[in-house]
Amino acid sequence: MNFSSIINFKNEMSKNGVIICFSGTLSQGIIQEIGESLKNELEKQKAKNSKYFSIFSVFIEQTQNIINYYRKKSESKQIDNDFLSSGIVCIGAHNDKYFVCSSNWIENQDVKKIKDQLEIISGKTKEEINKLYKQQIRKQRSEESYGAGLGFYEMARKSTEPFQYSFNKKDSNYHEFVINIII
Amino acid sequence: MDNVFIEETKSSPKIILNADENTLIIKGQSYPENAVNFFKPIFNWIEEYLETVDCEVILKLNLLYLNTSSSKCIMDLIDIFNEAYNNSKNVKIHWYYHPENSAMKECGEEFKEDQDIPFEIIESEEI
């Protein structure tokens, strides 16, 4: 990356209100440290208390989704490389709202399931999502998943606008999944 | 039975399980990498404890943040206590929240729904 590209990249981030951006291998340790940094930044910005917890919550759910997905995949079979553990997460503020955006690689076979979940959520009211959340939290945990199947519902409960997301085909095995949550 | 004391970390809560003093406290943030593994020994201890305890027991929860996997664990824990209550154990739950943390107040109210066990939601600057 040449020097002027770095300047452009930095300016783009500022222009878009990015507070924190991380690109690389995500781990619990990294998430904890970014989480602490995020808290400090939000305190500096005096983000209203309810937004503060919502932003933090969405950040944790998005990043732990990426880690859990990678762990599930790496335990079920040999993965050629560790790139599934890498992702990008961006948190920022724009027009009095905050955004938490992340991107990671997912296998083609998983696209439909995730897309269907997100489409279901997109069509629901807050009350309906709360109901789905409460139903899911009472269910037996799935053996297959590291999480509790609640992450997207929780993000929907905290968001103030419909999710923005996309699935972009990378090659014969993987898609790039991007999701943006506005708070 | 042995008492349990787990120090708080950035992503996991402080746990105090003391059968001698009948003190059960879970306090702090909870977003460990694997909530099921974290809470498993706590479940085991509590299940064993509830079988034999015969005095009043208050489960004190003072949580600043729960990721969804931890929320599921706490829900399951509350269900265990609720079942003990319905089996005539003298058990209660106290849910504490900081005055500036309305998210945790709402969280407590949600956990309280549909439970028979006495469940108090208490505003407190300090437990």
Side-chain angles (χ1 to χ4, degrees), chain A residues 28 31-33 36 39 49-50 53 56-57 60-61 64 67-68 71 130 133-134 137-141 146-148 150-151 154 157, chain B residues 9-11 29 31-37 64-73 75-76 79 100-103 110-111 113-115:
Chain A
Q28 177 70 11
I31 290 173
Q32 278 171 200
E33 294 308 321
E36 291 294 306
K39 275 193 211 163
N49 280 318
S50 56
F53 287 107
F56 186 76
S57 176
I60 296 292
E61 294 299 328
Q64 289 192 325
I67 291 186
N68 287 343
R71 275 168 63 208
N130 277 334
Y133 178 93
K134 288 172 190 179
I137 202 172
R138 292 203 156 282
K139 280 189 190 162
Q140 194 90 338
R141 253 188 219 261
Y146 278 104
L150 293 161
E154 179 69 353
R157 287 176 359 139
Chain B
T9 71
K10 275 184 187 152
S11 58
Q29 300 198 105
Y31 61 101
E33 189 161 10
N34 191 324
V36 169
N37 284 355
L64 298 176
Y65 167 70
L66 293 169
N67 69 352
T68 50
S69 197
S70 299
S71 292
K72 171 63 179 160
C73 292
M75 176 93 264
D76 290 346
D79 281 346
E100 290 177 359
N101 197 339
S102 58
E110 269 190 358
F111 279 130
E113 279 173 27
D114 305 327
Q115 301 288 350

Short mmCIF file of all heavy atoms in Angstrom, two decimals, chain A residues 28 31-33 36 39 49-50 53 56-57 60-61 64 67-68 71 130 133-134 137-141 146-148 150-151 154 157, chain B residues 9-11 29 31-37 64-73 75-76 79 100-103 110-111 113-115:
data_model
loop_
_atom_site.label_atom_id
_atom_site.label_comp_id
_atom_site.label_asym_id
_atom_site.label_seq_id
_atom_site.Cartn_x
_atom_site.Cartn_y
_atom_site.Cartn_z
N GLN A 28 -11.08 -14.05 20.81
CA GLN A 28 -11.75 -13.53 22.00
C GLN A 28 -10.92 -12.39 22.60
O GLN A 28 -11.47 -11.38 23.04
CB GLN A 28 -11.93 -14.67 23.02
CG GLN A 28 -12.55 -14.25 24.33
CD GLN A 28 -14.02 -13.86 24.23
OE1 GLN A 28 -14.69 -14.08 23.21
NE2 GLN A 28 -14.55 -13.27 25.28
N ILE A 31 -11.37 -9.24 20.64
CA ILE A 31 -12.72 -8.71 20.89
C ILE A 31 -12.77 -7.98 22.23
O ILE A 31 -13.34 -6.89 22.35
CB ILE A 31 -13.77 -9.84 20.85
CG1 ILE A 31 -13.94 -10.34 19.41
CG2 ILE A 31 -15.11 -9.37 21.39
CD1 ILE A 31 -14.83 -11.55 19.29
N GLN A 32 -12.15 -8.57 23.24
CA GLN A 32 -12.14 -7.93 24.56
C GLN A 32 -11.45 -6.57 24.51
O GLN A 32 -11.94 -5.59 25.07
CB GLN A 32 -11.42 -8.81 25.58
CG GLN A 32 -12.29 -9.89 26.15
CD GLN A 32 -11.51 -10.90 26.98
OE1 GLN A 32 -11.99 -11.99 27.20
NE2 GLN A 32 -10.34 -10.55 27.44
N GLU A 33 -10.31 -6.54 23.85
CA GLU A 33 -9.54 -5.29 23.81
C GLU A 33 -10.27 -4.22 23.00
O GLU A 33 -10.32 -3.06 23.40
CB GLU A 33 -8.14 -5.54 23.23
CG GLU A 33 -7.25 -6.41 24.11
CD GLU A 33 -7.15 -5.93 25.54
OE1 GLU A 33 -7.09 -4.70 25.76
OE2 GLU A 33 -7.16 -6.78 26.45
N GLU A 36 -13.07 -2.85 25.09
CA GLU A 36 -12.64 -1.86 26.09
C GLU A 36 -12.39 -0.52 25.42
O GLU A 36 -12.80 0.54 25.92
CB GLU A 36 -11.34 -2.32 26.77
CG GLU A 36 -11.49 -3.52 27.67
CD GLU A 36 -12.34 -3.23 28.89
OE1 GLU A 36 -12.05 -2.27 29.61
OE2 GLU A 36 -13.32 -3.98 29.11
N LYS A 39 -15.66 1.14 24.54
CA LYS A 39 -16.30 1.74 25.71
C LYS A 39 -15.69 3.11 25.99
O LYS A 39 -16.40 4.08 26.25
CB LYS A 39 -16.10 0.86 26.93
CG LYS A 39 -17.09 -0.25 27.07
CD LYS A 39 -17.00 -0.85 28.44
CE LYS A 39 -17.35 -2.31 28.37
NZ LYS A 39 -16.92 -3.04 29.55
N ASN A 49 -26.63 6.53 27.44
CA ASN A 49 -26.42 5.21 28.05
C ASN A 49 -27.08 4.07 27.31
O ASN A 49 -26.50 3.01 27.14
CB ASN A 49 -26.90 5.23 29.49
CG ASN A 49 -25.86 5.85 30.38
OD1 ASN A 49 -24.67 5.60 30.23
ND2 ASN A 49 -26.30 6.69 31.29
N SER A 50 -28.31 4.26 26.85
CA SER A 50 -28.99 3.14 26.20
C SER A 50 -28.29 2.79 24.89
O SER A 50 -28.14 1.62 24.55
CB SER A 50 -30.45 3.47 25.94
OG SER A 50 -30.53 4.64 25.18
N PHE A 53 -24.92 0.70 25.53
CA PHE A 53 -25.05 -0.73 25.72
C PHE A 53 -25.46 -1.44 24.45
O PHE A 53 -25.03 -2.56 24.18
CB PHE A 53 -26.04 -1.04 26.85
CG PHE A 53 -25.48 -0.72 28.20
CD1 PHE A 53 -25.92 0.38 28.90
CD2 PHE A 53 -24.48 -1.50 28.76
CE1 PHE A 53 -25.38 0.70 30.14
CE2 PHE A 53 -23.93 -1.19 29.99
CZ PHE A 53 -24.38 -0.08 30.68
N PHE A 56 -22.36 -1.69 22.12
CA PHE A 56 -21.45 -2.71 22.64
C PHE A 56 -22.01 -4.11 22.37
O PHE A 56 -21.30 -5.01 21.92
CB PHE A 56 -21.23 -2.49 24.14
CG PHE A 56 -20.20 -3.41 24.74
CD1 PHE A 56 -18.84 -3.19 24.53
CD2 PHE A 56 -20.58 -4.51 25.50
CE1 PHE A 56 -17.88 -4.03 25.08
CE2 PHE A 56 -19.63 -5.36 26.05
CZ PHE A 56 -18.28 -5.12 25.84
N SER A 57 -23.30 -4.27 22.64
CA SER A 57 -23.95 -5.55 22.46
C SER A 57 -23.88 -6.02 21.00
O SER A 57 -23.54 -7.17 20.71
CB SER A 57 -25.41 -5.44 22.92
OG SER A 57 -26.09 -6.64 22.68
N ILE A 60 -20.34 -7.12 20.11
CA ILE A 60 -20.00 -8.44 20.64
C ILE A 60 -20.69 -9.53 19.85
O ILE A 60 -20.09 -10.55 19.48
CB ILE A 60 -20.36 -8.54 22.15
CG1 ILE A 60 -19.54 -7.57 22.98
CG2 ILE A 60 -20.18 -9.97 22.65
CD1 ILE A 60 -18.06 -7.88 23.07
N GLU A 61 -21.97 -9.36 19.58
CA GLU A 61 -22.72 -10.41 18.88
C GLU A 61 -22.17 -10.63 17.47
O GLU A 61 -22.01 -11.77 17.03
CB GLU A 61 -24.22 -10.06 18.80
CG GLU A 61 -24.92 -10.04 20.16
CD GLU A 61 -24.89 -11.37 20.89
OE1 GLU A 61 -24.91 -12.43 20.23
OE2 GLU A 61 -24.85 -11.36 22.14
N GLN A 64 -18.53 -12.23 17.82
CA GLN A 64 -18.56 -13.60 18.33
C GLN A 64 -19.25 -14.55 17.35
O GLN A 64 -18.94 -15.74 17.29
CB GLN A 64 -19.18 -13.66 19.73
CG GLN A 64 -18.24 -13.05 20.78
CD GLN A 64 -18.64 -13.31 22.22
OE1 GLN A 64 -19.82 -13.36 22.55
NE2 GLN A 64 -17.66 -13.47 23.09
N ILE A 67 -16.39 -15.63 15.14
CA ILE A 67 -15.53 -16.61 15.84
C ILE A 67 -16.24 -17.96 15.96
O ILE A 67 -15.65 -19.01 15.71
CB ILE A 67 -15.14 -16.11 17.24
CG1 ILE A 67 -14.20 -14.94 17.15
CG2 ILE A 67 -14.51 -17.21 18.05
CD1 ILE A 67 -13.69 -14.51 18.49
N ASN A 68 -17.50 -17.94 16.36
CA ASN A 68 -18.24 -19.20 16.53
C ASN A 68 -18.38 -19.94 15.20
O ASN A 68 -18.28 -21.17 15.15
CB ASN A 68 -19.64 -18.94 17.11
CG ASN A 68 -19.59 -18.55 18.58
OD1 ASN A 68 -18.60 -18.77 19.26
ND2 ASN A 68 -20.67 -17.96 19.06
N ARG A 71 -15.03 -21.55 14.46
CA ARG A 71 -14.76 -22.69 15.34
C ARG A 71 -15.56 -23.92 14.92
O ARG A 71 -15.06 -25.03 14.90
CB ARG A 71 -15.08 -22.34 16.79
CG ARG A 71 -13.93 -21.64 17.49
CD ARG A 71 -14.35 -21.04 18.81
NE ARG A 71 -14.78 -22.06 19.75
CZ ARG A 71 -15.66 -21.84 20.72
NH1 ARG A 71 -16.19 -20.65 20.88
NH2 ARG A 71 -16.00 -22.80 21.53
N ASN A 130 -39.17 -9.64 19.45
CA ASN A 130 -39.08 -9.97 20.88
C ASN A 130 -39.68 -11.34 21.15
O ASN A 130 -39.14 -12.14 21.93
CB ASN A 130 -39.83 -8.92 21.72
CG ASN A 130 -38.96 -7.71 21.98
OD1 ASN A 130 -37.74 -7.79 22.00
ND2 ASN A 130 -39.59 -6.57 22.18
N TYR A 133 -37.35 -13.98 19.94
CA TYR A 133 -36.23 -14.06 20.87
C TYR A 133 -36.62 -14.89 22.09
O TYR A 133 -35.89 -15.80 22.51
CB TYR A 133 -35.82 -12.64 21.30
CG TYR A 133 -34.68 -12.60 22.31
CD1 TYR A 133 -33.36 -12.49 21.89
CD2 TYR A 133 -34.95 -12.67 23.67
CE1 TYR A 133 -32.32 -12.44 22.82
CE2 TYR A 133 -33.92 -12.64 24.60
CZ TYR A 133 -32.61 -12.52 24.17
OH TYR A 133 -31.60 -12.48 25.09
N LYS A 134 -37.78 -14.58 22.66
CA LYS A 134 -38.22 -15.28 23.87
C LYS A 134 -38.49 -16.76 23.61
O LYS A 134 -38.23 -17.62 24.45
CB LYS A 134 -39.46 -14.61 24.47
CG LYS A 134 -39.12 -13.27 25.11
CD LYS A 134 -40.36 -12.51 25.54
CE LYS A 134 -39.96 -11.10 25.93
NZ LYS A 134 -41.10 -10.27 26.34
N ILE A 137 -34.91 -18.43 23.25
CA ILE A 137 -34.11 -18.55 24.47
C ILE A 137 -34.61 -19.70 25.35
O ILE A 137 -33.88 -20.23 26.20
CB ILE A 137 -34.06 -17.21 25.27
CG1 ILE A 137 -32.83 -17.18 26.19
CG2 ILE A 137 -35.35 -16.94 26.02
CD1 ILE A 137 -32.59 -15.84 26.86
N ARG A 138 -35.85 -20.10 25.15
CA ARG A 138 -36.41 -21.19 25.94
C ARG A 138 -36.17 -22.57 25.29
O ARG A 138 -36.43 -23.59 25.89
CB ARG A 138 -37.91 -20.98 26.15
CG ARG A 138 -38.17 -19.78 27.04
CD ARG A 138 -39.52 -19.85 27.72
NE ARG A 138 -39.55 -19.08 28.94
CZ ARG A 138 -39.02 -19.47 30.09
NH1 ARG A 138 -38.41 -20.62 30.18
NH2 ARG A 138 -39.09 -18.68 31.15
N LYS A 139 -35.65 -22.55 24.06
CA LYS A 139 -35.44 -23.83 23.37
C LYS A 139 -34.16 -24.48 23.88
O LYS A 139 -33.24 -23.81 24.33
CB LYS A 139 -35.27 -23.61 21.86
CG LYS A 139 -36.55 -23.42 21.11
CD LYS A 139 -36.30 -23.43 19.60
CE LYS A 139 -37.54 -23.00 18.88
NZ LYS A 139 -37.26 -22.59 17.51
N GLN A 140 -34.11 -25.80 23.70
CA GLN A 140 -32.87 -26.55 23.97
C GLN A 140 -31.78 -26.02 23.04
O GLN A 140 -32.04 -25.78 21.87
CB GLN A 140 -33.15 -28.01 23.62
CG GLN A 140 -32.15 -28.99 24.12
CD GLN A 140 -32.52 -29.51 25.50
OE1 GLN A 140 -33.27 -28.88 26.23
NE2 GLN A 140 -32.02 -30.65 25.87
N ARG A 141 -30.57 -25.90 23.56
CA ARG A 141 -29.47 -25.45 22.70
C ARG A 141 -29.19 -26.48 21.60
O ARG A 141 -29.18 -27.67 21.86
CB ARG A 141 -28.18 -25.33 23.53
CG ARG A 141 -27.78 -23.94 23.80
CD ARG A 141 -26.42 -23.93 24.43
NE ARG A 141 -26.36 -22.91 25.45
CZ ARG A 141 -25.83 -21.71 25.28
NH1 ARG A 141 -25.34 -21.37 24.12
NH2 ARG A 141 -25.80 -20.83 26.26
N TYR A 146 -22.26 -23.09 18.53
CA TYR A 146 -21.62 -22.63 19.75
C TYR A 146 -22.45 -21.58 20.45
O TYR A 146 -22.33 -21.36 21.63
CB TYR A 146 -20.23 -22.05 19.44
CG TYR A 146 -19.19 -23.13 19.32
CD1 TYR A 146 -18.71 -23.53 18.08
CD2 TYR A 146 -18.70 -23.76 20.45
CE1 TYR A 146 -17.77 -24.53 17.98
CE2 TYR A 146 -17.76 -24.76 20.35
CZ TYR A 146 -17.30 -25.14 19.12
OH TYR A 146 -16.38 -26.13 19.02
N GLY A 147 -23.25 -20.89 19.69
CA GLY A 147 -24.06 -19.84 20.30
C GLY A 147 -25.40 -20.40 20.74
O GLY A 147 -25.59 -21.60 20.83
N ALA A 148 -26.32 -19.49 21.01
CA ALA A 148 -27.65 -19.91 21.46
C ALA A 148 -28.69 -19.63 20.38
O ALA A 148 -29.88 -19.72 20.63
CB ALA A 148 -28.01 -19.16 22.75
N LEU A 150 -29.36 -16.81 19.06
CA LEU A 150 -30.08 -15.58 19.41
C LEU A 150 -29.45 -14.31 18.85
O LEU A 150 -30.05 -13.25 18.93
CB LEU A 150 -30.12 -15.43 20.94
CG LEU A 150 -30.93 -16.47 21.71
CD1 LEU A 150 -30.51 -16.50 23.17
CD2 LEU A 150 -32.41 -16.15 21.62
N GLY A 151 -28.27 -14.45 18.29
CA GLY A 151 -27.48 -13.27 17.92
C GLY A 151 -28.20 -12.28 17.01
O GLY A 151 -28.25 -11.08 17.29
N GLU A 154 -31.07 -10.56 18.77
CA GLU A 154 -30.59 -9.53 19.70
C GLU A 154 -30.17 -8.28 18.94
O GLU A 154 -30.47 -7.15 19.36
CB GLU A 154 -29.43 -10.10 20.52
CG GLU A 154 -28.83 -9.13 21.51
CD GLU A 154 -29.73 -8.77 22.68
OE1 GLU A 154 -30.92 -9.18 22.70
OE2 GLU A 154 -29.24 -8.08 23.59
N ARG A 157 -33.18 -6.39 17.97
CA ARG A 157 -33.80 -5.70 19.10
C ARG A 157 -33.10 -4.39 19.41
O ARG A 157 -33.70 -3.43 19.88
CB ARG A 157 -33.79 -6.58 20.36
CG ARG A 157 -34.79 -7.70 20.23
CD ARG A 157 -34.89 -8.73 21.30
NE ARG A 157 -34.10 -8.77 22.45
CZ ARG A 157 -34.57 -9.07 23.66
NH1 ARG A 157 -35.87 -9.29 23.82
NH2 ARG A 157 -33.77 -9.16 24.70
N THR B 9 -13.22 -11.45 35.19
CA THR B 9 -12.29 -11.08 34.13
C THR B 9 -13.00 -10.06 33.25
O THR B 9 -14.16 -9.75 33.47
CB THR B 9 -11.87 -12.29 33.26
OG1 THR B 9 -12.99 -12.71 32.47
CG2 THR B 9 -11.37 -13.44 34.11
N LYS B 10 -12.31 -9.62 32.20
CA LYS B 10 -12.93 -8.63 31.30
C LYS B 10 -14.23 -9.16 30.72
O LYS B 10 -15.16 -8.43 30.48
CB LYS B 10 -11.98 -8.29 30.15
CG LYS B 10 -11.00 -7.23 30.49
CD LYS B 10 -10.14 -6.86 29.29
CE LYS B 10 -9.05 -5.89 29.74
NZ LYS B 10 -7.85 -5.95 28.96
N SER B 11 -14.27 -10.48 30.43
CA SER B 11 -15.43 -11.01 29.73
C SER B 11 -16.21 -12.05 30.51
O SER B 11 -17.13 -12.66 29.99
CB SER B 11 -15.00 -11.62 28.39
OG SER B 11 -14.04 -12.64 28.61
N GLN B 29 -19.64 -8.58 33.98
CA GLN B 29 -19.98 -8.73 32.56
C GLN B 29 -19.84 -10.20 32.17
O GLN B 29 -18.95 -10.88 32.70
CB GLN B 29 -19.00 -7.94 31.69
CG GLN B 29 -19.00 -6.48 31.97
CD GLN B 29 -18.37 -5.73 30.81
OE1 GLN B 29 -19.05 -5.11 30.03
NE2 GLN B 29 -17.06 -5.82 30.68
N TYR B 31 -19.44 -12.26 28.66
CA TYR B 31 -19.37 -12.58 27.24
C TYR B 31 -18.16 -13.46 26.95
O TYR B 31 -17.37 -13.22 26.05
CB TYR B 31 -19.39 -11.32 26.35
CG TYR B 31 -18.27 -10.32 26.51
CD1 TYR B 31 -17.22 -10.30 25.60
CD2 TYR B 31 -18.28 -9.36 27.52
CE1 TYR B 31 -16.19 -9.37 25.72
CE2 TYR B 31 -17.25 -8.44 27.65
CZ TYR B 31 -16.22 -8.44 26.75
OH TYR B 31 -15.20 -7.53 26.86
N PRO B 32 -18.03 -14.57 27.72
CA PRO B 32 -16.88 -15.44 27.51
C PRO B 32 -16.95 -16.11 26.15
O PRO B 32 -18.01 -16.14 25.52
CB PRO B 32 -17.02 -16.47 28.63
CG PRO B 32 -18.47 -16.51 28.93
CD PRO B 32 -18.98 -15.13 28.69
N GLU B 33 -15.85 -16.65 25.71
CA GLU B 33 -15.79 -17.31 24.40
C GLU B 33 -16.75 -18.50 24.36
O GLU B 33 -17.37 -18.76 23.34
CB GLU B 33 -14.38 -17.79 24.14
CG GLU B 33 -14.18 -18.29 22.72
CD GLU B 33 -12.71 -18.34 22.32
OE1 GLU B 33 -11.85 -18.16 23.20
OE2 GLU B 33 -12.45 -18.54 21.13
N ASN B 34 -16.86 -19.22 25.46
CA ASN B 34 -17.77 -20.36 25.51
C ASN B 34 -18.54 -20.31 26.82
O ASN B 34 -18.08 -20.79 27.85
CB ASN B 34 -16.97 -21.66 25.38
CG ASN B 34 -17.89 -22.84 25.14
OD1 ASN B 34 -19.00 -22.91 25.68
ND2 ASN B 34 -17.42 -23.80 24.36
N ALA B 35 -19.73 -19.72 26.74
CA ALA B 35 -20.53 -19.52 27.95
C ALA B 35 -20.95 -20.85 28.56
O ALA B 35 -21.01 -20.99 29.79
CB ALA B 35 -21.75 -18.65 27.64
N VAL B 36 -21.24 -21.84 27.72
CA VAL B 36 -21.69 -23.15 28.23
C VAL B 36 -20.60 -23.74 29.12
O VAL B 36 -20.88 -24.19 30.24
CB VAL B 36 -22.02 -24.10 27.06
CG1 VAL B 36 -22.23 -25.52 27.55
CG2 VAL B 36 -23.24 -23.62 26.32
N ASN B 37 -19.36 -23.72 28.63
CA ASN B 37 -18.25 -24.28 29.42
C ASN B 37 -18.02 -23.47 30.69
O ASN B 37 -17.71 -24.03 31.75
CB ASN B 37 -16.94 -24.28 28.61
CG ASN B 37 -16.94 -25.41 27.59
OD1 ASN B 37 -17.86 -26.23 27.56
ND2 ASN B 37 -15.93 -25.43 26.74
N LEU B 64 -23.71 -6.55 34.41
CA LEU B 64 -23.61 -5.31 33.63
C LEU B 64 -23.93 -5.54 32.16
O LEU B 64 -24.40 -4.66 31.47
CB LEU B 64 -22.18 -4.75 33.74
CG LEU B 64 -21.73 -4.37 35.14
CD1 LEU B 64 -20.28 -3.93 35.11
CD2 LEU B 64 -22.60 -3.24 35.68
N TYR B 65 -23.56 -6.73 31.69
CA TYR B 65 -23.81 -7.03 30.28
C TYR B 65 -23.79 -8.55 30.11
O TYR B 65 -22.98 -9.25 30.73
CB TYR B 65 -22.73 -6.40 29.37
CG TYR B 65 -22.78 -6.95 27.96
CD1 TYR B 65 -23.83 -6.64 27.11
CD2 TYR B 65 -21.81 -7.85 27.51
CE1 TYR B 65 -23.90 -7.19 25.83
CE2 TYR B 65 -21.88 -8.40 26.24
CZ TYR B 65 -22.93 -8.06 25.40
OH TYR B 65 -23.00 -8.62 24.15
N LEU B 66 -24.69 -9.04 29.26
CA LEU B 66 -24.73 -10.47 28.92
C LEU B 66 -24.73 -10.62 27.41
O LEU B 66 -25.58 -10.02 26.74
CB LEU B 66 -26.02 -11.11 29.44
CG LEU B 66 -26.27 -11.23 30.93
CD1 LEU B 66 -27.71 -11.64 31.19
CD2 LEU B 66 -25.32 -12.24 31.55
N ASN B 67 -23.81 -11.43 26.87
CA ASN B 67 -24.00 -11.75 25.45
C ASN B 67 -25.12 -12.78 25.37
O ASN B 67 -25.60 -13.28 26.40
CB ASN B 67 -22.70 -12.22 24.78
CG ASN B 67 -22.22 -13.58 25.25
OD1 ASN B 67 -22.76 -14.16 26.18
ND2 ASN B 67 -21.19 -14.10 24.60
N THR B 68 -25.58 -13.11 24.16
CA THR B 68 -26.79 -13.93 24.07
C THR B 68 -26.54 -15.35 24.58
O THR B 68 -27.44 -15.95 25.18
CB THR B 68 -27.34 -13.98 22.63
OG1 THR B 68 -26.28 -14.30 21.72
CG2 THR B 68 -27.94 -12.64 22.24
N SER B 69 -25.34 -15.86 24.40
CA SER B 69 -25.06 -17.19 24.91
C SER B 69 -25.11 -17.22 26.44
O SER B 69 -25.63 -18.18 27.04
CB SER B 69 -23.69 -17.67 24.40
OG SER B 69 -23.56 -19.05 24.54
N SER B 70 -24.63 -16.15 27.07
CA SER B 70 -24.71 -16.05 28.54
C SER B 70 -26.16 -15.87 28.99
O SER B 70 -26.56 -16.40 30.02
CB SER B 70 -23.89 -14.87 29.06
OG SER B 70 -22.54 -15.02 28.72
N SER B 71 -26.93 -15.10 28.21
CA SER B 71 -28.35 -14.91 28.56
C SER B 71 -29.05 -16.25 28.61
O SER B 71 -29.87 -16.50 29.50
CB SER B 71 -29.06 -14.04 27.52
OG SER B 71 -28.59 -12.72 27.59
N LYS B 72 -28.72 -17.12 27.66
CA LYS B 72 -29.33 -18.45 27.64
C LYS B 72 -28.94 -19.23 28.89
O LYS B 72 -29.77 -19.90 29.50
CB LYS B 72 -28.90 -19.18 26.36
CG LYS B 72 -29.27 -20.66 26.28
CD LYS B 72 -30.76 -20.87 26.28
CE LYS B 72 -31.11 -22.36 26.19
NZ LYS B 72 -32.49 -22.62 26.67
N CYS B 73 -27.68 -19.12 29.29
CA CYS B 73 -27.23 -19.82 30.50
C CYS B 73 -27.95 -19.28 31.73
O CYS B 73 -28.37 -20.06 32.60
CB CYS B 73 -25.72 -19.65 30.69
SG CYS B 73 -24.74 -20.51 29.44
N MET B 75 -30.86 -17.84 31.80
CA MET B 75 -32.25 -18.31 31.69
C MET B 75 -32.37 -19.71 32.24
O MET B 75 -33.28 -20.03 33.02
CB MET B 75 -32.67 -18.27 30.21
CG MET B 75 -34.05 -18.81 29.93
SD MET B 75 -35.31 -17.52 29.93
CE MET B 75 -35.91 -17.67 31.56
N ASP B 76 -31.45 -20.59 31.85
CA ASP B 76 -31.47 -21.98 32.29
C ASP B 76 -31.26 -22.06 33.80
O ASP B 76 -31.89 -22.87 34.49
CB ASP B 76 -30.39 -22.80 31.57
CG ASP B 76 -30.72 -23.02 30.09
OD1 ASP B 76 -31.88 -22.79 29.69
OD2 ASP B 76 -29.81 -23.42 29.34
N ASP B 79 -34.40 -21.08 35.54
CA ASP B 79 -35.35 -22.19 35.44
C ASP B 79 -35.07 -23.25 36.51
O ASP B 79 -36.01 -23.82 37.09
CB ASP B 79 -35.29 -22.84 34.05
CG ASP B 79 -36.06 -22.04 33.00
OD1 ASP B 79 -36.85 -21.15 33.37
OD2 ASP B 79 -35.87 -22.31 31.79
N GLU B 100 -28.11 3.72 35.93
CA GLU B 100 -27.90 4.19 34.55
C GLU B 100 -27.97 3.06 33.53
O GLU B 100 -27.71 3.28 32.34
CB GLU B 100 -26.55 4.90 34.45
CG GLU B 100 -26.56 6.24 35.18
CD GLU B 100 -25.21 6.93 35.15
OE1 GLU B 100 -24.25 6.35 34.58
OE2 GLU B 100 -25.10 8.01 35.73
N ASN B 101 -28.28 1.89 33.96
CA ASN B 101 -28.28 0.73 33.06
C ASN B 101 -29.69 0.21 32.83
O ASN B 101 -30.07 -0.84 33.34
CB ASN B 101 -27.36 -0.36 33.65
CG ASN B 101 -26.99 -1.40 32.61
OD1 ASN B 101 -27.66 -1.56 31.59
ND2 ASN B 101 -25.92 -2.12 32.87
N SER B 102 -30.47 0.96 32.04
CA SER B 102 -31.87 0.56 31.82
C SER B 102 -31.94 -0.75 31.03
O SER B 102 -32.90 -1.51 31.15
CB SER B 102 -32.64 1.66 31.09
OG SER B 102 -32.00 1.95 29.86
N ALA B 103 -30.90 -1.02 30.23
CA ALA B 103 -30.88 -2.27 29.46
C ALA B 103 -30.91 -3.48 30.39
O ALA B 103 -31.62 -4.46 30.15
CB ALA B 103 -29.65 -2.33 28.56
N GLU B 110 -37.47 -9.20 31.75
CA GLU B 110 -37.73 -10.30 30.81
C GLU B 110 -37.51 -11.66 31.45
O GLU B 110 -38.29 -12.59 31.25
CB GLU B 110 -36.81 -10.18 29.59
CG GLU B 110 -37.41 -9.39 28.48
CD GLU B 110 -36.61 -9.46 27.19
OE1 GLU B 110 -35.55 -10.12 27.15
OE2 GLU B 110 -37.08 -8.84 26.24
N PHE B 111 -36.43 -11.77 32.21
CA PHE B 111 -36.15 -13.05 32.88
C PHE B 111 -37.24 -13.38 33.89
O PHE B 111 -37.55 -14.54 34.15
CB PHE B 111 -34.79 -13.01 33.59
CG PHE B 111 -33.61 -13.23 32.68
CD1 PHE B 111 -32.54 -12.37 32.70
CD2 PHE B 111 -33.57 -14.32 31.82
CE1 PHE B 111 -31.44 -12.56 31.87
CE2 PHE B 111 -32.48 -14.53 30.99
CZ PHE B 111 -31.41 -13.64 31.02
N GLU B 113 -40.39 -12.78 33.68
CA GLU B 113 -41.66 -13.19 33.06
C GLU B 113 -41.87 -14.69 33.17
O GLU B 113 -40.95 -15.48 32.97
CB GLU B 113 -41.66 -12.83 31.56
CG GLU B 113 -42.00 -11.40 31.26
CD GLU B 113 -41.82 -11.06 29.77
OE1 GLU B 113 -41.94 -11.98 28.92
OE2 GLU B 113 -41.53 -9.89 29.47
N ASP B 114 -43.08 -15.08 33.44
CA ASP B 114 -43.47 -16.49 33.46
C ASP B 114 -42.78 -17.31 34.54
O ASP B 114 -42.78 -18.54 34.48
CB ASP B 114 -43.20 -17.19 32.10
CG ASP B 114 -43.87 -16.46 30.97
OD1 ASP B 114 -44.96 -15.88 31.18
OD2 ASP B 114 -43.31 -16.44 29.85
N GLN B 115 -42.12 -16.65 35.51
CA GLN B 115 -41.49 -17.41 36.58
C GLN B 115 -42.39 -17.35 37.82
O GLN B 115 -43.02 -16.34 38.10
CB GLN B 115 -40.10 -16.82 36.93
CG GLN B 115 -39.11 -16.79 35.79
CD GLN B 115 -38.58 -18.15 35.40
OE1 GLN B 115 -38.82 -19.14 36.10
NE2 GLN B 115 -37.87 -18.22 34.29
#
